[in-house]
Amino acid sequence: MTDEEPAIPERTVADAVIETLLEWGVRRVFICPGSTEAAFLDATLRHPGLEVLLTTHESVAVSMADGHARATGEPAVVYLHTHLGLANGLAHLDAARLARSPVVVLTGLKPRSVQAHDGFTTLPGTGALAAPFVKRHWQSLAAGEVADDLARCLRAAVMEPRGPAWLGIGQDLLEAGCDAPAAGPGRFRVEAGPAPDPLLLDEAARLLAAAGRPVIVAGAEAARHDAGGAVLDLAERLGGTVFHEDRRSFERSVVPTSHPRYAGLYDPEHPVAAGAGAVLLLGCRGFVEFEPFGRPLLPAAAKVVHSHVDPAEIGRTHRVDVAVVGDERRVAVGLLERLPSRAGGDAGGGDCAGPAPVASRADGVATVEEVVDAIAEVADAGTTVIEDATTSETALLTGLPQFSPASMVTTVSGSLGWGMGAALGYQLAAPDRQVVAVVGDGVFQFGPQALWAAARYRIPVLYLVINNRSYAAVAAAMARHRKRAGQDAGDLSEYPGKDISGIDIAAVAAGFGVAARRLTRARDIPAAVRDLRETGGPALIEILTDPDDLGGRPR
Amino acid sequence: MTDEEPAIPERTVADAVIETLLEWGVRRVFICPGSTEAAFLDATLRHPGLEVLLTTHESVAVSMADGHARATGEPAVVYLHTHLGLANGLAHLDAARLARSPVVVLTGLKPRSVQAHDGFTTLPGTGALAAPFVKRHWQSLAAGEVADDLARCLRAAVMEPRGPAWLGIGQDLLEAGCDAPAAGPGRFRVEAGPAPDPLLLDEAARLLAAAGRPVIVAGAEAARHDAGGAVLDLAERLGGTVFHEDRRSFERSVVPTSHPRYAGLYDPEHPVAAGAGAVLLLGCRGFVEFEPFGRPLLPAAAKVVHSHVDPAEIGRTHRVDVAVVGDERRVAVGLLERLPSRAGGDAGGGDCAGPAPVASRADGVATVEEVVDAIAEVADAGTTVIEDATTSETALLTGLPQFSPASMVTTVSGSLGWGMGAALGYQLAAPDRQVVAVVGDGVFQFGPQALWAAARYRIPVLYLVINNRSYAAVAAAMARHRKRAGQDAGDLSEYPGKDISGIDIAAVAAGFGVAARRLTRARDIPAAVRDLRETGGPALIEILTDPDDLGGRPR
């Protein structure tokens, strides 16, 4: 090889992979690489249309992709290294599974012969690790098939009901020369969401029209299918009330929380819910147990209509009178077409006045409610709150105004640390929004490496860490356990597994290159937010709250 | 309930679990808890003999347990939370699998009815996630069986060939009353390692005695079975040379590296190895491919004896003339008994003079070799180096003196971050040793949460972070890839996926409450070590090295 005649790189499978991604509209890959991804990284230099987002832990790569997919509704692609990288990404892949995010996880595997010999970083049947979390898992067997294999994963991810998919690619295959064309969406993508059955819509409409005081519980899938407007129209037509899913199922808002028809998170003991003659569960999981419910979740006398794009979700934990499989917007519109006009009813349950103001504690310790109010002060219709704050969750979901489905995004997976990366992916995909990640200190420690990516790419997410220096959820569980055993809660300070004090989160953030403040007074948050936003980059505010606040109080 | 009559806690399954652990001699549990472990945490207050070591990420809990088990040779127990915590622990469980560490992973699961209903943080078949990494995986089905289920896991973990085991315990079972006795080792533990077949030992001895210039490759299992002395006796008797396993298989030293019979890490091109008439592979994996070998690993003319406690390891990638399954010390002693005395031969390959001194770079940038020399200056027979430093590994393994099997402990798993926690577990189990964790900056970012546990429990590990601000292994792979494609390596600074600069590791460590220094000159390391050791707690030294040093040079 001479300077005059540079070697023109042969087209490799890695090129075909990238061409395929670009044809599907994928412009970013979230990667935590090892040696097995070298050919892919090299090929990205030949395809400047694909941006490589480097991360320093797989949990960050996967949660970033999930956040990105939630913002765009289109596939987001992660590239991990061997079964080890895949393992490190699984917990947040569970969040993508539950949110039906079209996250496609590629995993670089060792050359096929090295796999066969139990070589370094190999595990027979690596795909089995991904299997419980994805719709499709496949390890490519031949170089000529890899691009098509990828397209089949992308296709699976975007077909309803949506969800993640996994593809393993051996290093030898990735490096191989390739004549196969890119596998664009034309050959593979099918838009064929299920239409609701008209006869079942007839039946559901009759039931809802006949019942007194109908209630709609609107879930994350209704938001994903852009059903918010139709839900409100339906509530008006029925003279009914709209709830969002309860905390354990809630992933994003569907209707504005200020709307007079909106009554809060669903609670079977809410007077409007308890008195309902019919309940329409629209695109919600209905219901997710944390511990056994111990009480009925639906009014005994109410008729129940459950609609969801995924038949597996319908009637999973409760009785159903009419089940409708289908896109929730089409279901809501179909019901509207079948319902007679009737005067706006009396069942609006909206708490239009908003939450009551919060009194400060005499000892000056910041309360979670004060923190929520401070966030509300700086949040507007352009703000997206990425919520991952465990015992502060109820206060956040019930205390923050939600203007649109983009106002509040969370996970029901329980996978701590998800918000650290998801906020970055969401912000990249929605550069015009102001993303605020509200996380707990325990959560922070599950994803501090996200700050490295935030700083590297100057992603202007504001992290707000509610630092109670406790695993408060563990303490709350211990108190419940003692109550079940007929004992007093005892002294919280003696609970093992509760105290996680000792870290200066603002100092850690600064070490990662993120501008940070540690605060003790919630009322200082808005000014700090305004100051830090002037940096134009990522920022973090740590606010110290009461270690013994075990959370759970709605507003 | 009144103050006069406090409720006496009923004995629960959690008590039976703890009693069982204590009977097996387990005195510590490494935990990253959630709500499902509340009853266990509560019960620990009734059993002060069991110490709860809290961690803030499961990867730390698992690697601490692995380090502990490697130091003691006895079971170490981890308690994780649901399939999510298990998933986060899998990568380091792979390190325990490959090291045959008796790590028992307990995982708290939701109550059985909640599991059946696909409730919060449930995943059907969670045990399948653990399956590829453990010898036994089981989810307890009934309260009366849990203690026995635990004992069966402990039994599996310590029976040869050893390895991790997994037990899932539903929250309802853990909280249930329990009459079942503790399941101590008396009923369950069996010491029955395989004795080598005397006839095969005869054959192996004949072969070794007849061959000229025999070579012994001693692996981690030989160290675990305390075969170091017998290996040296055998080398003397045979007039042979001892190698350690090569870098991709090496987990701990077997013989002192200063011994005149020791010749370094096994390399088939080493003149002594190349000229060997027989090779005895004793307790080593022989061989682990990183990429396809591309060259013969054994001298074509040599007879090959392979002995390992695990039959699955024997002859996995190479031909074998005599295979002996059994405890490596008994194999070595058995061979000694069968071999005639002969004069100490000429094949000693020891590099008694030690590595050549290292010259400083003209530009003053610290080299990895200088860092190794600085560590050697502060390391003595009481030092344990926990090595997890990727592209610096070869320099460390070939440049640091190893006095005993406790001198150098590493992993062949490729699971980055393992050393961050393993060092803590090893130090807890071996308080009289000075543990130095030598890790890379990429590795650091895979386990910064270990510093929280280090600070909380004041575990006096010294972390030495070789910060080249690069994924040098990725860059090295990319350079090899280009070479295979007939191209120049090109400009390293343009490699995507290489540059991970931006973090001030010493500052992050300080944020976690760990005393830390950032250095640029390797010669300042010994003084910093001495200063920091005076604190009596954990400490960290970050040394900046050349980002473009892609490693791999032996000394």
Side-chain angles (χ1 to χ4, degrees), chain A residues 106-154:
Chain A
L106 309 180
T107 300
L109 304 173
K110 285 288 184 181
R112 287 168 297 174
S113 65
V114 174
Q115 292 181 55
H117 301 164
D118 296 335
F120 188 71
T121 60
T122 65
L123 188 77
T126 293
L129 291 178
F133 304 97
V134 296
K135 290 180 63 185
R136 176 181 175 82
H137 62 101
W138 183 252
Q139 175 177 337
S140 283
L141 303 175
E145 293 291 333
V146 176
D148 282 15
D149 289 342
L150 170 59
R152 279 184 278 267
C153 280
L154 289 159

Side-chain angles (χ1 to χ4, degrees), chain A residues 1 3 7 9 12 31-36 38-46 52 54-59 81 83-85 87-88 90-92 94-95 97 110-111 113-115 117-125 128-130 132-133 171 174-175 248 285 287-293 312 316-317 411-416 442 444-449 452 455-456 471 473-474 477-478 480-482 484-488 494-505 507-513, chain B residues 1 3 7 9 12 31-36 38-46 52 54-59 81 83-85 87-88 90-92 94-95 97 110-111 113-115 117-125 128-130 132-133 171 174-175 248 285 287-293 312 316-317 411-416 442 444-449 452 455-456 471 473-474 477-478 480-482 484-488 494-505 507-513:
Chain A
M1 193 166 67
D3 284 346
T12 65
I31 194 163
C32 188
S35 56
T36 48
F40 175 82
L41 288 168
D42 200 20
T44 63
L45 295 172
R46 300 192 285 274
V52 174
L54 183 62
T55 66
T56 53
H57 195 276
E58 292 87 356
S59 63
H81 174 60
H83 67 287
L84 299 166
N88 284 336
L90 289 179
H92 295 339
D94 204 35
R97 169 180 74 96
K110 285 288 184 181
S113 65
V114 174
Q115 292 181 55
H117 301 164
D118 296 335
F120 188 71
T121 60
T122 65
L123 188 77
L129 291 178
F133 304 97
Q171 181 183 331
L174 193 66
E175 295 186 351
R248 294 299 173 192
R285 297 197 65 203
F287 298 93
V288 177
E289 285 170 301
F290 185 85
E291 290 180 349
F293 291 130
R316 203 166 35 77
T317 65
T411 176
V412 294
S413 69
S415 176
L416 299 191
F444 176 85
Q445 283 215 46
F446 272 76
Q449 307 92 341
W452 182 87
R456 164 58 55 98
Y471 279 154
V474 173
M478 211 160 135
R480 288 195 303 276
H481 166 67
R482 288 190 171 180
R484 281 195 294 274
Q487 297 173 264
D488 284 336
E494 292 174 359
Y495 281 20
K498 173 181 179 288
D499 175 15
I500 55 165
S501 63
I503 177 174
D504 180 332
I505 288 173
V508 169
F512 275 102
Chain B
M1 195 165 67
D3 285 346
T12 65
I31 194 164
C32 189
S35 56
T36 48
F40 175 82
L41 288 168
D42 200 20
T44 62
L45 295 172
R46 301 191 285 277
V52 174
L54 183 63
T55 66
T56 53
H57 195 277
E58 293 87 357
S59 62
H81 173 60
H83 67 287
L84 300 166
N88 285 335
L90 289 179
H92 295 339
D94 204 36
R97 168 179 76 95
K110 285 287 184 181
S113 64
V114 175
Q115 292 181 54
H117 301 162
D118 296 334
F120 188 72
T121 59
T122 64
L123 187 78
L129 291 178
F133 304 96
Q171 182 183 332
L174 194 67
E175 295 186 352
R248 294 298 174 192
R285 299 196 66 204
F287 298 93
V288 176
E289 283 170 301
F290 185 85
E291 290 180 348
F293 291 130
R316 202 166 36 76
T317 64
T411 176
V412 293
S413 69
S415 176
L416 299 192
F444 176 86
Q445 284 215 49
F446 272 75
Q449 308 93 339
W452 181 88
R456 164 59 56 96
Y471 280 154
V474 174
M478 211 160 134
R480 288 195 303 277
H481 166 68
R482 288 189 170 181
R484 281 194 294 274
Q487 299 173 264
D488 283 336
E494 291 173 2
Y495 280 20
K498 173 180 180 286
D499 175 15
I500 56 165
S501 63
I503 178 174
D504 180 333
I505 288 174
V508 169
F512 275 103

Side-chain angles (χ1 to χ4, degrees), chain B residues 316-483:
Chain B
R316 202 166 36 76
T317 64
H318 56 86
R319 68 189 164 79
V320 172
D321 294 296
V322 182
V324 185
V325 176
D327 172 307
E328 290 79 7
R329 201 181 62 77
R330 293 166 73 177
V331 170
V333 169
L335 290 173
L336 272 172
E337 289 166 359
R338 286 163 172 81
L339 285 167
S341 295
R342 72 174 182 190
D346 55 347
D351 183 359
C352 305
V358 169
S360 295
R361 276 168 57 141
D363 62 5
V365 174
T367 66
V368 172
E369 290 71 22
E370 286 178 295
V371 173
V372 171
D373 280 358
I375 298 170
E377 190 178 327
V378 294
D380 59 24
T383 303
T384 292
V385 170
I386 303 286
E387 185 274 318
D388 188 5
T390 320
T391 44
S392 302
E393 186 169 64
T394 300
L396 288 158
L397 295 185
T398 57
L400 286 180
Q402 292 154 47
F403 303 89
S404 76
S407 292
M408 174 72 74
V409 179
T410 183
T411 176
V412 293
S413 69
S415 176
L416 299 192
W418 168 86
M420 294 294 296
L424 299 176
Y426 200 102
Q427 180 73 82
L428 283 170
D432 296 335
R433 297 194 65 81
Q434 291 206 310
V435 176
V436 179
V438 185
V439 304
D441 57 314
V443 165
F444 176 86
Q445 284 215 49
F446 272 75
Q449 308 93 339
L451 299 181
W452 181 88
R456 164 59 56 96
Y457 299 106
R458 263 186 90 67
I459 305 170
V461 165
L462 175 75
Y463 290 93
L464 198 143
V465 184
I466 302 176
N467 186 358
N468 64 0
R469 291 145 284 163
S470 288
Y471 280 154
V474 174
M478 211 160 134
R480 288 195 303 277
H481 166 68
R482 288 189 170 181
K483 190 174 175 189

Side-chain angles (χ1 to χ4, degrees), chain A residues 232-244:
Chain A
L232 289 176
D233 289 347
L234 197 55
E236 294 290 349
R237 183 75 60 88
L238 289 165
T241 302
V242 181
F243 292 91
H244 282 149

